[in-house]
């Protein structure tokens, strides 16, 4: 019998949503380098990307009011399915309007999904999500590219991510940057300077081996 895919999983008081394994980056700290799951979950590799009916059936098994946040963060970059993710978030807002929806993202949809984003990824996200956590990963493009290893490289990914964050903040979202402590204290300080310059909180996360 075929084993069911892990489309949602719990961690602490949050419910996490796993909709894709696609990602345009190969971050040096990616949890996919060290295992098949996260926070003790079942394997998060998907045999296929779930459709809306599959996600709705999975979510129907959960008491959505029991969670502090419902977080779109699986084993890939959620905004590689920008239209689907926003549609699913809108559905969650409809059936559980009291729930807080958070998106964990690299903020690169405008660059890597232009046919869906149409240059408006942040506005689409802000229309349905309450919070967004964005991978800053460095205080400049050089550090960012070394750690994030975005497809194609160059200056565009870092600039795209910063513009996404700026627009999310302008749209009134609760915005946070993150870096992982695989970079040096000096580089973390530079990332803090960039976050402070933009008026966005920075969280330094510990690398999970």
């Amino acid at each position: 019998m075929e084993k069911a895919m892990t489309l949602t999983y719990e961690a602490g008081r949050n419910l996490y949503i796993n909709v894709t394994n696609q990602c345009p980056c190969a971050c040096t700290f990616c949890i996919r380098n060290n295992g098949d799951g996260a926070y003790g979950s079942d394997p998060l590799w998907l045999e296929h990307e779930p459709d809306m009916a599959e996600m709705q059936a999975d979510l129907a098994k959960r008491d959505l009011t029991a969670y502090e946040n419902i977080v779109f963060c699986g084993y890939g970059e959620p905004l590689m399915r920008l239209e689907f993710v926003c549609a699913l978030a809108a559905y969650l807002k409809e059936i559980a309007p009291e729930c807080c929806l958070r998106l964990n993202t690299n903020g690169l949809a405008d660059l890597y999904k232009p046919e869906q984003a149409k240059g408006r990824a942040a506005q689409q996200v802000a229309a349905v999500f309450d919070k967004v956590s964005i991978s800053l990963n460095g205080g400049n493009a050089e550090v960012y590219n070394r750690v994030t290893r975005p497809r194609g490289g160059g200056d565009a990914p870092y600039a795209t991510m910063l513009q996404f964050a700026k627009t999310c903040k302008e749209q009134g979202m609760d915005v946070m940057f993150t870096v992982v402590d695989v970079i040096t204290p000096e580089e973390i300080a530079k990332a803090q300077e960039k976050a402070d310059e933009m008026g966005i909180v920075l969280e330094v996360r510990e690398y999970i081996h």
Side-chain angles (χ1 to χ4, degrees), residues 101-134:
L101 299 186
R102 189 179 92 206
L103 172 69
N104 290 5
T105 180
N106 57 31
L108 298 176
D110 283 309
L111 182 61
Y112 294 116
K113 283 293 172 179
E115 73 286 355
Q116 293 182 36
K118 297 179 173 60
R120 299 185 66 256
Q123 289 92 333
Q124 293 178 59
V125 165
V128 286
F129 283 92
D130 304 296
K131 300 179 180 179
V132 60
S133 176
I134 303 165

Side-chain angles (χ1 to χ4, degrees), residues 2 21 32 37 44-45 58 62 81 83 88 98 100 102 104 115 127 147-149 157 164 190 201 205:
E2 182 178 313
N21 292 152
R32 304 197 309 189
L44 295 174
W45 293 112
D58 193 279
R62 305 282 189 177
R81 300 187 70 191
E83 291 176 343
L88 182 57
E98 70 282 5
C100 180
R102 189 179 92 206
N104 290 5
E115 73 286 355
V147 173
T148 307
R149 298 186 293 194
F164 177 85
K190 289 292 185 183
V201 172
R205 295 167 43 214

Side-chain angles (χ1 to χ4, degrees), residues 154-181:
D155 293 333
Y158 191 65
T160 298
M161 177 272 298
L162 292 179
Q163 182 59 51
F164 177 85
K166 179 176 182 289
T167 305
C168 283
K169 189 171 187 296
E170 291 171 348
Q171 293 289 311
M173 295 192 74
D174 183 348
V175 184
M176 178 176 71
F177 276 138
T178 63
V179 297
V180 178
D181 61 3

Side-chain angles (χ1 to χ4, degrees), residues 4-17:
M5 297 188 297
T6 303
L7 304 184
T8 61
Y9 60 100
E10 297 176 332
R13 297 179 60 193
N14 296 333
L15 180 69
Y16 285 76
I17 303 211

